[in-house]
Amino acid sequence: FSMDNPMMLALAKPVPSVEIAPSVLMPMLSFGITMQHSLFLALGGRGLDTAFDYGDKYQAELGRAVATSGLPRSAVFVTTKVPCCASSFVKDDVYSNHCHARRSPEETAADVAHDLSVLGMPFVDLLLMHWPCDSTADTVATWRVLERLALDGRARAIGVSNFNASAIESLLPHVKVRPAVNQCGFSVAGHSGIRLVSST
């Protein structure tokens, strides 16, 4: 097996895409927190997902995978996420050790600049707010940063992640650009003791 073997790409079936914003096609399958982004690209995958809170190691590996893939940047869809702070969403410190105090819009913009620098990219295809802040005002302030970065060409589309219906309903009256997606996690085997029950 060699990831340089062009046959690997020929064996993979294309992943369907959906238009999430004008002329922005997002693959229906993305590969997240791992150190195997090069393998995913070699097997025909085109959607890669990372986040500020996943750490520089994972983001740098993703950036190297894209840069060394031999694919044009336009062929790979990169998503990253930045935190909204303060937030009780991260009370267990699974991802964030810095999200227990309010962060200013300037700090959010700095988080995005850091992500882009570590990724080695001038823009991402999708920039998400990783979770809502505890207050609607702070969530809106963070969203305004994402709107500005989209207008500046740092993100082709913007959206939210881990928002429930009430968090979205609180945000929408204040937006100029509607969120393109609400990315919610689902794992085949990674459910912390929660049983999935059929409604049939």
Side-chain angles (χ1 to χ4, degrees):
F1 170 80
S2 169
M3 293 191 322
D4 297 327
N5 183 344
M7 288 302 294
M8 291 307 299
L9 295 177
L11 293 174
K13 291 184 178 180
V15 173
S17 295
V18 61
E19 187 172 37
I20 60 169
S23 301
V24 181
L25 296 174
M26 180 183 75
M28 297 292 288
L29 176 67
S30 287
F31 200 54
I33 185 168
T34 177
M35 294 296 281
Q36 297 293 326
H37 292 103
S38 291
L39 176 60
F40 183 71
L41 291 174
L43 293 173
R46 294 296 178 263
L48 300 177
D49 181 272
T50 190
F52 179 85
D53 282 296
Y54 296 171
D56 289 356
K57 177 174 100 172
Y58 291 102
Q59 295 207 86
E61 189 275 336
L62 188 153
R64 282 191 301 275
V66 173
T68 61
S69 68
L71 297 166
R73 174 62 183 84
S74 61
V76 181
F77 191 95
V78 177
T79 300
T80 193
K81 300 174 280 294
V82 291
C84 191
C85 302
S87 178
S88 56
F89 184 86
V90 293
K91 62 184 175 217
D92 58 3
D93 287 328
V94 170
Y95 292 121
S96 180
N97 292 317
H98 68 273
C99 205
H100 301 289
R102 185 179 180 277
R103 291 174 68 77
S104 69
E106 293 77 21
E107 289 172 301
T108 299
D111 290 346
V112 175
H114 178 83
D115 275 1
L116 294 174
S117 174
V118 174
L119 289 166
M121 299 175 184
F123 70 92
V124 291
D125 299 285
L126 180 59
L127 175 61
L128 302 176
M129 190 186 316
H130 207 159
W131 48 72
C133 286
D134 287 336
S135 79
T136 298
D138 288 342
T139 300
V140 170
T142 301
W143 183 255
R144 295 265 186 258
V145 175
L146 271 61
E147 289 179 325
R148 188 179 76 240
L149 292 167
L151 289 173
D152 290 346
R154 300 303 181 109
R156 296 177 61 222
I158 55 175
V160 295
S161 180
N162 300 302
F163 273 52
N164 62 24
S166 61
I168 291 173
E169 288 169 5
S170 296
L171 174 64
L172 287 180
H174 307 284
V175 306
K176 296 175 184 171
V177 178
R178 288 179 66 86
V181 299
N182 180 17
Q183 181 194 70
C184 296
F186 179 79
S187 171
V188 174
H191 301 285
S192 55
I194 298 172
R195 290 175 49 189
L196 300 177
V197 180
S198 172
S199 61
T200 59

